[in-house]
Amino acid sequence: MRGVISVAGYVPYRRLDRSEIAAFFGLGGGTGTRAVASYDEDTTTMGQAAADLALRSTAVEPAALWFATSAPAYLEKTNAAAIHAALRFDPAVSALDFGGAVRSGIGALHAALAGSGRTLVVAADARDGLPAGADEASAGDGAAALLVSDNSEGPVLAEYLGGASRTLEVTERWRIPGGARSRTWEERFGAHVLGPAAAEAWQAALDASGMDDAASIDRLAVTGLNSRAVATALKAIGAKADSLVDPLINAVGNTATAHPALLLCSALEHAVPGETIAVVALADGVEAIVLRATEAIADHRPAAPIASQIAQGGSLSYGRFLAWRNMVTVEPPNRPAPARPSSSAASRRSDWKYGFTGSRDRSSEMVHLPPARVSQKGGAADDMDPAPMAHISGAVASFTVDRLAYSPSPPTVFAVVDFDGGGRVPLELTDVDADEVHVGMRVVPTFRRLYTADDIHNYFWKARPLRDGVSGGEPPGDSL
């Protein structure tokens, strides 16, 4: 049996109320909210967050990491490598990018399900559009991760029954390298070409999985960036209304490359043993996959359910959203921007910079952050064990609000964090408003982008509040 071993979605903390767009411009907007990646998040950090959550629910270690996005932080350089480093994977675990196209997310997942080996499929996207445009309002940012393997490696939550693909060369949505926004042809054209392809792929997927018709599917997600084409596909499929998975458009928005995987994660969080789940994604053709939930799904406990993440979201003003997306330029703090980070220094300190791994003195058990060769307690030299801290919660011991230091979103809040089980380090706080911070606040590390200088992204760890319903720490110990 081959299928999904573990799943997790990641929804950024901030939410933009779409009504603010119309209030600001007098047009555009809509109802509901869209998820917004913070100024210090990109597709790499969101992908890492989803992957980390997925791996917390299983002991199975992947042999490969596939990362898909239409908005990569780098071209030429492998973005999956930063996720690989932040997850502290062994160098023998391969890391590959499936980048550029919206279809790459569902395509990578389909390839993993139809293939072999232990593959962690990660999809993420950060979506933009011109102010007051349809893409800006309907889009959303987010990520999802699914570990795919055989049941010989661990309990399969959802067995892969079959799937099908239909590929079309059609210029229905496109963006050239360096382009600031997507371009689209009229929606009727997309519906005209994608609708019939969806019907063909759907029937082929049912045949491959041994299903009779749409009535055999308990949970169905049909998604794509052309809403008219999605509606046409739903009609062609003949889907039951009560089988449709919440598309999350009103609360999160369409996360494009990540959306088919995010909807599958959401469906599996609510599935019961024996239910069949299907995902149909429209982009340059159609990808359709069908799975069946196993008995193991009943014991699955997500580290951070998608519904809980949605419920815990915090509001974001439209003005700040525009500033974060570089649509407007606001007056920066007085102090200059930092210099570019050193590639050689980052390579020497990779375990600390990407893996957030300190050192623990074997004799005194004192945790040193950053890692040290000589213990501050007892003076023992080179007698340390690694101390992974990425999953360890802590408390704010003291903090300061700095309105002068460089930040893409001032003010900057710095805190001294005392970690459970030992270890103290100053960290920048994120996903929090300055007036919320207080001594004793519970926080957990989160992988973020500090800044970008000379086209080099400086990734490191910050701390975010540990909110109800979203899992945080676990006891210290070696991980992947």
Side-chain angles (χ1 to χ4, degrees):
M1 180 192 298
R2 183 167 180 80
V4 176
I5 296 284
S6 184
V7 303
Y10 174 73
V11 180
Y13 172 67
R14 293 296 180 182
R15 305 283 183 276
L16 172 65
D17 190 321
R18 294 185 176 107
S19 65
E20 286 204 23
I21 301 174
F24 189 91
F25 281 109
L27 72 163
T31 59
T33 62
R34 62 157 289 176
V36 179
S38 178
Y39 68 93
D40 56 1
E41 292 185 290
D42 57 20
T43 53
T44 296
T45 64
M46 289 192 292
Q48 187 276 340
D52 180 72
L53 290 172
L55 293 175
R56 293 193 193 195
S57 301
T58 180
V60 177
E61 300 183 9
L65 166 63
W66 295 353
F67 178 49
T69 181
S70 70
Y74 285 115
L75 296 176
E76 301 191 19
K77 184 185 183 309
T78 303
N79 296 279
I83 299 175
H84 182 288
L87 296 173
R88 301 183 64 242
F89 282 167
D90 187 278
V93 176
S94 67
L96 301 172
D97 282 0
F98 284 58
V102 169
R103 189 175 180 174
S104 62
I106 186 65
L109 176 59
H110 196 172
L113 288 167
S116 61
R118 307 181 309 278
T119 304
L120 179 62
V121 179
V122 182
D125 232 336
R127 304 296 296 174
D128 278 330
L130 292 180
D135 277 354
E136 178 191 61
S138 64
D141 306 331
L146 301 97
L147 180 58
V148 176
S149 187
D150 301 315
N151 60 344
S152 60
E153 302 292 341
V156 170
L157 302 179
E159 176 188 7
Y160 175 60
L161 300 181
S165 298
R166 291 295 184 271
T167 299
L168 303 175
E169 168 43 46
V170 54
T171 310
E172 188 262 337
R173 174 177 284 268
W174 69 98
R175 175 167 56 87
I176 63 172
R181 67 181 180 100
S182 298
R183 304 288 299 277
T184 60
W185 211 261
E186 59 179 308
E187 280 199 332
R188 289 183 301 171
F189 171 67
H192 175 72
V193 296
L194 293 175
E200 290 181 14
W202 175 250
Q203 188 57 54
L206 290 178
D207 294 342
S209 55
M211 298 288 106
D212 295 328
D213 52 31
S216 305
I217 304 300
D218 298 298
R219 297 179 185 269
L220 171 64
V222 180
T223 181
L225 291 173
N226 185 324
S227 58
R228 190 162 181 166
V230 170
T232 301
L234 284 168
K235 185 176 180 179
I237 287 171
K240 301 180 300 179
D242 60 356
S243 71
L244 298 181
V245 173
D246 180 359
L248 302 180
I249 299 301
N250 288 332
V252 177
N254 194 318
T255 59
T257 310
H259 215 60
L262 188 66
L263 295 185
L264 177 55
C265 291
S266 179
L268 290 175
E269 287 180 1
H270 297 91
V272 298
E275 284 190 335
T276 51
I277 303 102
V279 178
V280 179
L282 284 60
D284 300 320
V286 182
E287 296 283 343
I289 59 175
V290 182
L291 304 99
R292 178 182 288 119
T294 69
E295 293 296 328
I297 199 81
D299 299 322
H300 178 59
R301 298 292 181 269
I306 293 171
S308 296
Q309 294 183 57
I310 292 173
Q312 291 296 321
S315 63
L316 178 73
S317 70
Y318 186 51
R320 179 151 289 198
F321 168 80
L322 292 174
W324 283 4
R325 295 307 169 95
N326 296 313
M327 296 291 184
V328 298
T329 301
V330 298
E331 182 71 21
N334 291 332
R335 292 177 185 167
R340 72 174 182 180
S342 166
S343 293
S344 55
S347 179
R348 289 192 300 269
R349 305 277 280 184
S350 180
D351 280 352
W352 168 245
K353 178 175 175 56
Y354 290 97
F356 201 48
T357 302
S359 60
R360 184 184 296 273
D361 178 21
R362 292 192 181 103
S363 56
S364 69
E365 297 191 350
M366 180 177 180
V367 175
H368 297 75
L369 304 175
R373 291 183 58 193
V374 179
S375 175
Q376 296 180 27
K377 188 175 181 179
D382 296 324
D383 190 31
M384 301 277 187
D385 288 321
M389 304 299 293
H391 294 168
I392 310 304
S393 302
V396 172
S398 64
F399 68 94
T400 183
V401 178
D402 193 330
R403 303 182 187 277
L404 296 178
Y406 168 80
S407 173
S409 185
T412 302
V413 182
F414 290 103
V416 174
V417 178
D418 284 338
F419 285 97
D420 301 345
R424 167 178 279 198
V425 68
L427 293 172
E428 184 178 341
L429 299 187
T430 189
D431 289 351
V432 67
D433 296 323
D435 57 5
E436 293 181 68
V437 183
H438 58 86
V439 172
M441 171 183 277
R442 300 291 296 168
V443 296
V444 66
T446 182
F447 187 62
R448 297 296 172 100
R449 187 183 65 205
L450 297 188
Y451 58 86
T452 299
D454 198 21
D455 292 340
I456 297 178
H457 303 308
N458 188 18
Y459 293 110
F460 188 56
W461 293 78
K462 296 184 180 182
R464 60 170 177 81
L466 184 54
R467 295 184 170 92
D468 292 341
V470 179
S471 177
E474 62 182 31
D478 243 345
S479 58
L480 295 173

